[in-house]
Amino acid sequence: AMAPRRKREPALPSSLVKKIFSHYVKVPVARDAFKVVEKCVEVYFRQLSNDLEAYTLHARRKTVEEADLELLMRRQGLVTDKMPLHVLIERHLPLEHRKLLIPVAMSGNKVIPHK
Amino acid sequence: GRMKRAAPRSTLRNLIKRHKPQLRLAANADLLVHLNFLLFLHRLAEEARANAFENKSKTIKSEHAMVAAKVIK
């Protein structure tokens, strides 16, 4: 008999996870390997949620701020003095999101009056 | 490029809410969650590919992904 269907939980569409992973990995991926990747994503979000909660509690806040994510990425070794957060943002996020995260970068588009 | 697609913002927020219902996310914090998620998959992919390469495999098999998952944790 079939296992009872669990209540549908919010999850990233597996097609999205597949697409992103395939893009980065650049070689063919076996079907069961994708299953492993999806499992990893689940574990990742559980761990991320725990970490973010710990950071905000530590700062006596209830809201996760952008600074918490930056600190997390520093601890993960993703953000370093040589690899600032805004570079990662520019490399990986589309313009519409970059505009929201680095408004300063956009103000670099100054219109300098020509003589 | 094509990969710089928009973040699935409400799904990301719901995912975290499922784990931590009382936790709120500042206006654009979810975009950095998305960035961190991309970088996680990026690292997992690099490790899996290196592992497949070491095993002289041209495709990523589940064992390559599993070893990669252990390395990056």
Side-chain angles (χ1 to χ4, degrees), chain B residues 3-67:
Chain B
M3 269 314 297
K4 284 192 182 178
R5 62 182 69 241
R9 301 188 70 167
S10 60
T11 308
L12 288 170
R13 284 177 178 275
N14 287 333
L15 256 173
I16 291 172
K17 194 168 265 305
R18 185 182 107 210
H19 289 292
K20 302 287 170 193
Q22 76 292 357
L23 203 61
R24 283 188 293 208
L25 283 173
N28 293 320
D30 60 319
L31 295 177
L32 293 181
V33 167
H34 183 62
L35 174 66
N36 192 244
F37 171 63
L38 290 177
L39 295 171
F40 165 78
L41 280 181
H42 182 71
R43 229 188 128 197
L44 188 67
E46 303 259 281
E47 291 290 344
R49 179 153 40 87
N51 201 251
F53 185 77
E54 262 173 46
N55 289 285
K56 307 197 190 313
S57 169
K58 282 177 182 158
T59 59
I60 305 294
K61 295 174 184 165
S62 60
E63 58 261 38
H64 305 142
M66 267 186 272
V67 171

Side-chain angles (χ1 to χ4, degrees), chain A residues 9-12 16-17 19-21 23-25 27-30 32-33 36-37 40-41 43-46 48-50 52-53 56 62-66 69 72-73 76 78 85 88-94 96-98 100-101, chain B residues 2-9 11-12 14-20 22-46 48-49 52 58-63 65-66 69 73:
Chain A
E9 291 174 331
L12 287 172
L16 180 70
V17 173
K19 240 174 237 167
I20 298 168
F21 186 79
H23 172 81
Y24 287 138
V25 86
V27 294
V29 182
D32 56 347
V36 175
V37 171
C40 289
V41 167
V43 173
Y44 162 82
F45 274 105
R46 196 182 314 138
L48 180 80
S49 303
N50 286 338
L52 293 179
E53 182 188 47
T56 49
K62 285 177 181 170
T63 304
V64 178
E65 308 278 356
E66 288 176 33
L69 270 305
L72 177 78
M73 287 192 250
Q76 292 170 335
L78 295 168
L85 180 61
L88 291 173
I89 290 169
E90 276 157 23
R91 280 194 192 162
H92 293 273
L93 296 184
E96 56 181 300
H97 295 339
R98 294 202 311 262
L100 297 170
L101 290 167
Chain B
R2 264 186 75 247
M3 269 314 297
K4 284 192 182 178
R5 62 182 69 241
R9 301 188 70 167
T11 308
L12 288 170
N14 287 333
L15 256 173
I16 291 172
K17 194 168 265 305
R18 185 182 107 210
H19 289 292
K20 302 287 170 193
Q22 76 292 357
L23 203 61
R24 283 188 293 208
L25 283 173
N28 293 320
D30 60 319
L31 295 177
L32 293 181
V33 167
H34 183 62
L35 174 66
N36 192 244
F37 171 63
L38 290 177
L39 295 171
F40 165 78
L41 280 181
H42 182 71
R43 229 188 128 197
L44 188 67
E46 303 259 281
R49 179 153 40 87
K58 282 177 182 158
T59 59
I60 305 294
K61 295 174 184 165
S62 60
E63 58 261 38
M66 267 186 272
K73 246 167 237 166

Side-chain angles (χ1 to χ4, degrees), chain A residues 51-111:
Chain A
D51 289 346
L52 293 179
E53 182 188 47
Y55 283 33
T56 49
L57 285 180
H58 184 77
R60 297 178 188 179
R61 281 188 266 104
K62 285 177 181 170
T63 304
V64 178
E65 308 278 356
E66 288 176 33
D68 296 316
L69 270 305
E70 180 165 7
L71 183 60
L72 177 78
M73 287 192 250
R74 227 170 237 288
R75 295 243 173 107
Q76 292 170 335
L78 295 168
V79 171
T80 62
D81 294 338
K82 284 182 185 164
M83 184 51 72
L85 180 61
H86 72 88
V87 174
L88 291 173
I89 290 169
E90 276 157 23
R91 280 194 192 162
H92 293 273
L93 296 184
L95 183 63
E96 56 181 300
H97 295 339
R98 294 202 311 262
K99 275 196 264 191
L100 297 170
L101 290 167
I102 6 182
V104 180
M106 298 313 292
S107 68
N109 284 332
K110 271 181 226 156
V111 179

